[in-house]
């Protein structure tokens, strides 16, 4: 007998017991989940990850002037290439398209196995060669299914390899290897690679041809390129079903990127070479003209002994002439550079790298070419409206303006220097008064000849340097680690899949069981009842087995033992009462909760202890006691109340075979039960019977349906409130709690009817098996 609310330990144990009771369902779900995981692993294609690492090289010749750095907003403050931009170049559609085209990634070869299709790459079982241009092949989208009939013949079909039709069907054709096959999408030949996997007779193959741009789009998302912060090390990764294929693709991407960088560098060298060649032609013509003039002057004036007259030139004149030559050379180069800079008809913005004796101009030229290359790289995957491209254009124009200004400054300075040198030379030549005028004229021509020859030799030297540089351009990327692939696949991850399946197999059924338990509104146990109704609990009655409804005197069934326990608990509850007769009312919330069954068996149990017991059926609307005890009576309680001529003894019926048990049946069902129970005859009845009996057991109406029980509740010493397992809704038990809180039912206790006997438990001391110990028994001991 208890009225304590279940503790947290009880709740936890009940939850564990709930899951243990459904262990077969949980095990079934786990097995299903593991089976699905096995199928997933079995039929999934393994993916292997290839990784490669490269390092962007530093350009030791890249230096920034202070004024240029301010124009570049810090972009040129480092000797390292812009890593973010280089990553975009590596991942550009142009680079991936070259890789896909060179490696023929739009062709895939599969060998159909018993379980799944297996792709081959480096050594496919057959080769398909089309008789058309590459641009046409790159637009085909088709799958060819091939069945090898012999070493010379094969069958070609358009349907799945597992559904290839028999020979003779219009969709299947037979061909010889090497034979030209004509189809709507093009002509091609198929040749075998004897000795490779899948080339055996009877093998079924699939050749999948996809448009090149679709393949490129796929690899643009599959190839991952990343770097760490503030680092010039770039890491590339790719997942493929074939290890070797992934490695080859990554290495090819790096190679194509380096080739692209070398081509960009060679553009500058090529531009410079073309510029020097053009100027050499011009200078050569000018030198030829000066030589011809000198030759004509010597012939006309017979100036053949000029060497003997060399002593008339002073040392100072020679130095002056040398400086005049140098200055004129610089002016000519500045003029050439200005013309090239302002020439709008050029195909490229790149400037020739020609030293004109000024480091600032050389640095500006180099910086200008680097920015032009960076802009051109971005334009491969972008447009002129890209903010970065616009910014780079602004910076290039600013550098051109600076370069123009610097050239103008150099030109002005050299012109002033040249004027001074010419005046100085005139003064020196004036001192040589004895030199013939014709020889002086020849000397002027010789000076022009020396200037042109010096410039010609300088341009020849630069052309040779450019020619050497043309084949010596180096790549940007140094390969730290060539592509390598781990031996274990990265997908599917077997351990993760099996663990997830195991967890899913446990969580799903556990959630369903918990959800079903949470949504269950029925009463199943004592704990469920005590959570809602706080009245004392006197026991539970197990569900009966067979057709036996009423316990016998000699009865060791669980039900009989349960009623003996309840009888003892009731006596304990009423031991403080001084009354010689104990009046026990039995009620419930609704019908069909076993109220009459409990009343009948409780009365029988008291009578078996040789106590005079009277059972009164006050549930006059739906009487059931007569059926349980198998008695017949013409009169009953309603007849006694309505007919004053009838005595109590006239309505008392003794139960056959039990001299200690009497019954007052309900009698004739009246039209007004509530008004009838309000009669004074009811009070008189209880006063009379309590003097002749030890126990009066009253089967009253359900309090949740009618008010009959409340009208006579004052006559009770104790109220036994019956709650049926798996029958009544928990939400209806607020009636019982209200009755208890408001004490409308005197000395109210609760009783649970129809409980299911758990394995290992039992009532009585018969052949019930001893309960096996559970691992969570220590929780019960701790609670007790």
């Amino acid at each position: 007998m208890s009225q304590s609310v279940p503790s947290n330990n009880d709740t936890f144990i009940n939850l564990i017991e709930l899951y243990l009771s459904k262990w077969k369902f949980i095990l079934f779900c786990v097995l299903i989940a593991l089976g699905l995981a096995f199928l997933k692993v079995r039929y999934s294609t393994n993916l292997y990850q290839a990784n490669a690492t490269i390092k962007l090289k530093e350009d030791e010749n890249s230096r920034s002037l202070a004024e240029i750095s301010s124009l570049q907003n810090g972009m040129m403050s480092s000797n390292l290439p812009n890593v973010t931009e280089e990553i975009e170049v590596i991942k550009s559609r142009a680079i991936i398209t070259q890789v896909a085209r060179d490696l023929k990634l739009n062709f895939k070869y599969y060998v159909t196995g018993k379980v799944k299709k297996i792709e081959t790459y480096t050594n496919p079982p057959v080769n398909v060669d089309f008789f058309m241009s590459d641009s046409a092949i790159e637009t085909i989208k088709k799958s060819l299914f091939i069945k090898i009939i012999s070493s010379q013949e094969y069958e070609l079909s358009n349907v799945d390899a597992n559904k290839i039709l028999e020979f003779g069907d219009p969709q299947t054709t037979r061909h010889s290897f090497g034979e030209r096959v004509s189809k709507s999408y093009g002509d091609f030949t198929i040749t075998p690679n004897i000795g490779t996997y899948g080339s055996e007779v009877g093998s079924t193959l699939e050749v999948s041809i996809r448009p090149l741009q679709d393949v490129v789009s796929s690899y643009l998302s599959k190839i991952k390129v990343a770097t760490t912060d503030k680092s010039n090390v770039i890491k590339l990764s790719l997942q493929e079903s074939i290890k070797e294929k992934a490695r080859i693709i990554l290495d090819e991407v790096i190679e194509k990127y380096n080739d692209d960088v070398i081509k960009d560098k060679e553009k500058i060298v090529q531009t410079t070479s073309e510029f020097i060649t053009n100027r050499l032609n011009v200078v050569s013509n000018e030198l030829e003209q000066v030589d011809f003039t000198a030759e004509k002057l010597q012939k006309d004036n017979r100036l053949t002994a000029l060497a003997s007259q060399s002593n008339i030139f002073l040392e100072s004149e020679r130095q002056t002439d040398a400086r005049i030559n140098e200055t004129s050379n610089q002016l000519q180069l500045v003029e050439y550079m200005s013309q090239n800079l302002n020439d709008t008809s050029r195909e490229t913005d790149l400037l020739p790298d020609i030293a004109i004796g000024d480091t600032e101009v050389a640095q500006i030229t180099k910086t200008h070419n680097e920015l032009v290359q960076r802009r051109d790289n971005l334009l491969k995957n972008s447009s002129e409206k890209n903010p970065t491209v616009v910014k780079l254009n602004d910076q290039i124009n600013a550098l051109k303006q600076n370069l123009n200004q610097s050239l103008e400054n150099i030109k002005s300075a050299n012109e002033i220097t040249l004027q001074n040198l010419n005046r100085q030379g005139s003064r020196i030549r004036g001192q040589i008064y004895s030199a013939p005028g014709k020889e002086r004229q020849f000397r002027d021509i010789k000076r022009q000849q020396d200037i042109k020859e010096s410039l010609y030799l300088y341009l020849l030297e630069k052309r040779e340097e450019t020619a050497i540089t043309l084949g010596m351009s180096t790549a940007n990327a140094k390969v730290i680690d060539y592509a390598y692939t781990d031996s274990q696949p990265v997908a599917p991850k077997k351990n993760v899949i099996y663990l997830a399946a195991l967890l899913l197999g446990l969580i799903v059924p556990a959630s369903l069981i918990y959800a079903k338990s949470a949504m269950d509104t029925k009463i199943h146990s004592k704990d469920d009842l005590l959570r809602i109704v706080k009245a004392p609990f006197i026991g539970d009655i197990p569900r009966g087995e067979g057709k036996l409804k009423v316990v016998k005197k000699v009865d060791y069934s669980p039900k009989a033992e349960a009623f003996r326990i309840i009888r003892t608990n009731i006596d304990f509850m009423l031991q403080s009462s001084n009354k010689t007769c104990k009046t026990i009312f039995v009620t419930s919330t609704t019908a069909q909760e076993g109220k009459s069954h409990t009343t009948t068996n409780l009365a029988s149990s008291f009578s078996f202890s040789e106590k005079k017991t009277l059972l009164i059926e006050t549930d006059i609307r739906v009487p059931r006691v007569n059926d349980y005890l198998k008695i017949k009576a013409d009169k009953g309680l309603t007849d006694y109340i309505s007919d004053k001529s009838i005595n109590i003894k006239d309505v008392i019926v003794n139960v056959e075979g039990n001299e200690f048990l009497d019954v007052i049946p309900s009698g004739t069902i009246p039209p007004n039960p509530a008004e009838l129970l309000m009669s004074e005859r009811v009070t008189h009845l209880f006063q009379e019977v309590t003097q002749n009996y030890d126990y009066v057991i009253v089967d009253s109406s359900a309090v949740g349906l009618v008010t009959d029980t409340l009208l006579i509740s004052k006559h009770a010493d104790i109220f036994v409130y019956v709650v049926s397992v798996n029958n009544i809704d928990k939400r209806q038990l607020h009636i019982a709690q209200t009755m208890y809180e408001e004490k409308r039912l005197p000395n109210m206790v609760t009783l649970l009817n129809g409980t299911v006997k758990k394995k290992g438990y039992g009532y009585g001391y018969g052949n019930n098996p001893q309960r096996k110990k559970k691992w969570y028994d220590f929780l019960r001991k701790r609670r007790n």
Side-chain angles (χ1 to χ4, degrees):
M1 182 170 55
S2 171
Q3 58 179 346
S4 61
V5 179
S7 64
N8 292 334
N9 283 345
D10 294 330
T11 303
F12 175 74
I13 293 174
N14 291 336
L15 188 63
I16 292 297
E17 290 180 344
L18 173 64
Y19 289 140
L20 291 178
S21 66
K22 305 292 184 181
W23 69 270
K24 292 182 179 179
F25 173 66
I26 295 176
L27 179 60
F28 175 76
C29 292
V30 169
L31 293 178
I32 291 294
L34 292 177
L36 294 176
F38 173 77
L39 294 177
K40 169 70 176 176
V41 173
R42 184 74 173 85
Y43 292 99
S44 294
T45 301
N46 290 340
L47 291 180
Y48 299 87
Q49 179 166 313
N51 301 285
T53 307
I54 62 175
K55 180 181 179 182
L56 299 182
K57 298 178 182 178
E58 296 184 6
D59 188 356
E60 297 180 355
N61 296 324
S62 177
R63 294 292 183 268
S64 301
L65 300 177
E67 59 271 18
I68 298 177
S69 298
S70 63
L71 292 174
Q72 305 308 317
N73 296 323
M75 292 181 62
M76 300 296 298
S77 60
S78 173
N79 294 335
L80 294 177
N82 190 308
V83 178
T84 303
E85 292 180 5
E86 296 306 314
I87 288 177
E88 293 301 320
V89 173
I90 294 174
K91 291 179 60 178
S92 65
R93 180 172 288 271
I95 296 293
I96 303 302
T97 300
Q98 294 178 34
V99 172
R101 182 178 289 116
D102 291 351
L103 298 181
K104 296 184 178 181
L105 297 181
N106 53 329
F107 282 78
K108 285 190 175 183
Y109 298 86
Y110 297 96
V111 179
T112 303
K114 295 182 180 180
V115 177
K116 56 187 177 183
K117 296 187 298 184
I118 301 174
E119 182 184 357
T120 62
Y121 179 70
T122 52
N123 292 305
V126 296
N127 289 325
V128 180
D129 299 307
F130 280 84
F131 293 92
M132 61 178 69
S133 63
D134 291 341
S135 59
I137 297 175
E138 292 170 0
T139 60
I140 297 176
K141 185 177 183 181
K142 192 67 178 176
S143 291
L144 305 177
F145 298 94
I146 302 168
K147 185 175 182 179
I148 299 178
I149 304 302
S150 66
S151 60
Q152 290 82 29
E153 292 185 321
Y154 65 92
E155 286 183 353
L156 181 65
S157 176
N158 294 324
V159 297
D160 192 352
N162 293 325
K163 301 178 182 178
I164 288 184
L165 305 179
E166 294 296 332
F167 178 73
D169 189 277
Q171 284 189 322
T172 304
T173 56
R174 178 172 292 189
H175 305 275
S176 298
F177 285 112
E179 174 188 347
R180 181 164 182 163
V181 181
S182 297
K183 295 292 183 179
S184 59
Y185 45 87
D187 295 356
F188 58 89
T189 61
I190 297 178
T191 55
N193 289 329
I194 300 175
T196 59
Y197 173 69
S199 62
E200 303 85 0
V201 175
S203 298
T204 302
L205 315 175
E206 177 185 349
V207 181
S208 176
I209 309 173
R210 295 172 57 197
L212 184 67
Q213 290 307 313
D214 293 350
V215 176
V216 171
S217 299
S218 173
Y219 279 99
L220 283 174
S221 60
K222 290 170 62 176
I223 296 177
K224 307 298 181 183
V225 183
T227 183
T228 57
D229 293 339
K230 299 180 181 180
S231 172
N232 59 335
V233 176
I234 297 177
K235 297 183 178 180
L236 297 86
S237 63
L238 171 64
Q239 292 184 2
E240 276 286 347
S241 58
I242 305 176
K243 298 179 183 179
E244 187 65 23
K245 184 178 181 181
R247 292 198 294 266
I248 292 174
I249 292 174
L250 284 189
D251 288 340
E252 187 71 11
V253 168
I254 297 172
E255 182 178 347
K256 294 301 179 185
Y257 165 71
N258 281 333
D259 290 345
D260 186 70
V261 172
I262 292 175
K263 289 179 181 178
D264 288 342
K265 291 183 177 181
E266 289 182 347
K267 284 182 181 179
I268 299 176
V269 180
Q270 188 67 36
T271 301
T272 304
S273 178
E274 292 175 358
F275 171 81
I276 293 174
T277 301
N278 293 333
R279 291 306 166 188
L280 270 174
N281 294 331
V282 174
V283 173
S284 177
N285 293 331
E286 293 176 351
L287 181 60
E288 184 179 357
Q289 186 65 34
V290 172
D291 289 342
F292 178 76
T293 303
E295 180 182 358
K296 186 175 182 300
L297 181 63
Q298 283 181 322
K299 288 181 180 180
D300 293 342
N301 295 282
R302 298 178 180 181
L303 300 176
T304 57
L306 294 178
S308 61
Q309 302 176 8
S310 60
N311 56 350
I312 67 175
F313 292 99
L314 301 176
E315 183 67 25
S316 59
E317 186 181 20
R318 288 198 297 271
Q319 294 177 357
T320 301
D321 288 343
R323 294 183 61 189
I324 289 174
N325 291 339
E326 181 182 355
T327 305
S328 299
N329 189 14
Q330 289 294 322
L331 280 173
Q332 191 69 56
L333 290 176
V334 168
E335 183 65 24
Y336 292 162
M337 193 69 177
S338 296
Q339 292 176 3
N340 188 78
L341 181 63
N342 298 318
D343 185 3
T344 60
S345 62
R346 293 183 300 114
E347 296 181 356
T348 177
D349 288 335
L350 295 173
L351 296 176
D353 186 10
I354 297 181
I356 59 175
D358 189 88
T359 58
E360 180 180 357
V361 172
Q363 181 59 45
I364 293 176
T365 302
K366 184 173 182 60
T367 304
H368 171 275
N369 289 337
E370 289 177 352
L371 292 180
V372 169
Q373 281 189 303
R374 185 177 301 175
R375 181 199 62 189
D376 292 344
N377 286 334
L378 290 177
L379 287 176
K380 292 179 182 178
N381 301 289
S382 182
S383 65
E384 292 285 352
K385 296 181 180 180
N386 187 305
T388 304
V389 174
V390 173
K391 189 173 182 180
L392 288 173
N393 283 331
D394 293 340
Q395 294 167 358
I396 291 170
N397 293 331
L399 286 176
K400 286 183 176 179
Q401 294 177 5
N402 286 347
L403 186 56
N404 266 324
Q405 185 63 44
S406 296
L407 292 175
E408 288 295 329
N409 293 338
I410 295 173
K411 182 178 180 181
S412 298
N414 285 333
E415 286 176 347
I416 294 173
T417 302
L418 183 60
Q419 291 174 3
N420 293 332
L421 290 173
N422 285 331
R423 284 195 297 267
Q424 182 179 355
S426 298
R427 289 194 302 268
I428 296 174
R429 286 191 298 273
Q431 294 175 1
I432 312 176
Y433 60 93
S434 59
K438 293 181 178 180
E439 291 184 9
R440 227 179 9 256
Q441 183 182 4
F442 177 76
R443 193 181 302 114
D444 292 338
I445 295 175
K446 185 66 171 65
R447 186 180 298 109
Q448 294 179 13
Q449 188 180 27
D450 292 341
I451 292 173
K452 297 299 181 182
E453 185 178 358
S454 174
L455 180 59
Y456 183 78
L457 293 175
Y458 174 79
L459 289 176
L460 281 177
E461 180 183 356
K462 282 298 179 182
R463 187 174 67 174
E464 290 301 319
E465 292 178 358
T466 304
I468 295 173
T469 307
L470 188 61
M472 298 180 62
S473 298
T474 59
N476 262 19
K478 174 186 177 182
V479 179
I480 298 177
D481 287 321
Y482 285 96
Y484 63 93
T485 308
D486 295 331
S487 59
Q488 296 299 322
V490 295
K493 296 183 178 179
K494 297 181 181 180
N495 295 337
V496 175
I497 292 177
Y498 281 121
L499 179 60
L502 178 61
L503 294 177
L504 193 64
L506 293 173
I507 292 173
V508 170
S511 300
L512 293 176
I513 293 171
Y514 182 80
K516 182 180 179 181
S517 175
M519 296 173 63
D520 188 6
T521 59
K522 303 298 182 182
I523 295 294
H524 298 285
S525 64
K526 167 188 171 182
D527 294 339
D528 294 340
L529 176 59
L530 292 180
R531 288 190 188 95
I532 303 172
V533 183
K534 302 303 186 289
F537 182 79
I538 63 169
D540 54 0
I541 301 172
R543 183 179 300 172
E545 300 176 1
K547 297 183 179 180
L548 183 62
K549 294 182 179 180
V550 182
V551 299
K552 302 299 183 181
K553 185 173 184 179
V554 180
D555 191 346
Y556 297 102
S557 66
K559 181 189 290 186
E561 292 293 342
F563 277 108
R564 292 187 186 102
I565 294 173
I566 294 171
R567 180 186 68 191
T568 302
N569 290 337
I570 292 176
D571 283 338
F572 177 78
M573 294 286 295
L574 297 175
Q575 65 181 353
S576 60
S577 176
N578 296 325
K579 296 181 179 180
T580 57
C581 179
K582 310 298 190 299
T583 304
I584 305 169
F585 276 57
V586 180
T587 187
S588 63
T589 305
T590 63
Q592 305 298 321
E593 290 199 67
K595 170 176 59 62
S596 298
H597 169 269
T598 301
T599 304
T600 304
N601 282 282
L602 188 60
S604 299
S605 182
F606 275 108
S607 67
F608 293 153
S609 63
E610 297 185 355
K611 301 290 184 181
K612 281 294 286 184
T613 305
L614 175 63
L615 193 157
I616 304 176
E617 186 169 20
T618 61
D619 187 0
I620 56 181
R621 298 173 188 265
V622 187
R624 296 291 304 277
V625 172
N626 290 358
D627 296 334
Y628 280 107
L629 296 177
K630 297 180 173 53
I631 60 175
K632 296 182 180 180
D634 298 332
K635 299 178 181 180
L637 177 63
T638 57
D639 301 294
Y640 169 77
I641 297 173
S642 58
D643 189 355
K644 296 182 179 180
S645 63
I646 298 178
N647 294 324
I648 295 176
K649 294 180 180 181
D650 297 335
V651 295
I652 294 177
V653 179
N654 181 256
V655 177
E656 184 178 356
N658 190 347
E659 59 178 317
F660 294 99
L661 179 59
D662 293 335
V663 179
I664 297 181
S666 60
T668 305
I669 300 177
N672 55 344
E675 288 76 8
L676 193 65
L677 291 175
M678 294 173 64
S679 173
E680 294 181 357
R681 296 270 290 175
V682 175
T683 302
H684 179 267
L685 172 66
F686 278 101
Q687 291 176 350
E688 185 72 21
V689 298
T690 52
Q691 296 178 3
N692 300 320
Y693 290 91
D694 297 315
Y695 294 95
V696 175
I697 314 297
V698 180
D699 181 15
S700 59
S701 303
V703 295
L705 300 178
V706 294
T707 61
D708 298 1
T709 300
L710 297 177
L711 296 175
I712 60 175
S713 61
K714 60 184 178 180
H715 302 293
D717 293 326
I718 188 172
F719 253 94
V720 178
Y721 200 102
V722 178
V723 178
S724 177
V725 171
N726 298 325
N727 187 14
I728 187 172
D729 195 304
K730 295 178 181 179
R731 293 167 291 185
Q732 293 178 286
L733 287 180
H734 74 279
I735 298 174
Q737 179 60 20
T738 301
M739 294 291 179
Y740 177 71
E741 290 177 350
E742 298 179 357
K743 299 183 178 180
R744 299 178 67 181
L745 300 180
N747 207 12
M748 174 181 160
V749 296
T750 56
L751 181 147
L752 200 59
N753 181 45
T755 58
V756 179
K757 181 179 68 172
K758 295 182 181 179
K759 187 176 181 180
Y761 286 99
Y763 295 88
Y765 306 94
N767 295 323
N768 295 315
Q770 186 179 1
R771 176 180 176 270
K772 296 181 179 179
K773 292 184 178 181
K774 302 292 184 180
W775 63 269
Y776 50 81
D777 276 351
F778 74 93
L779 296 175
R780 296 183 180 275
K781 295 178 181 179
R782 185 175 181 183
R783 178 190 62 181
N784 295 332

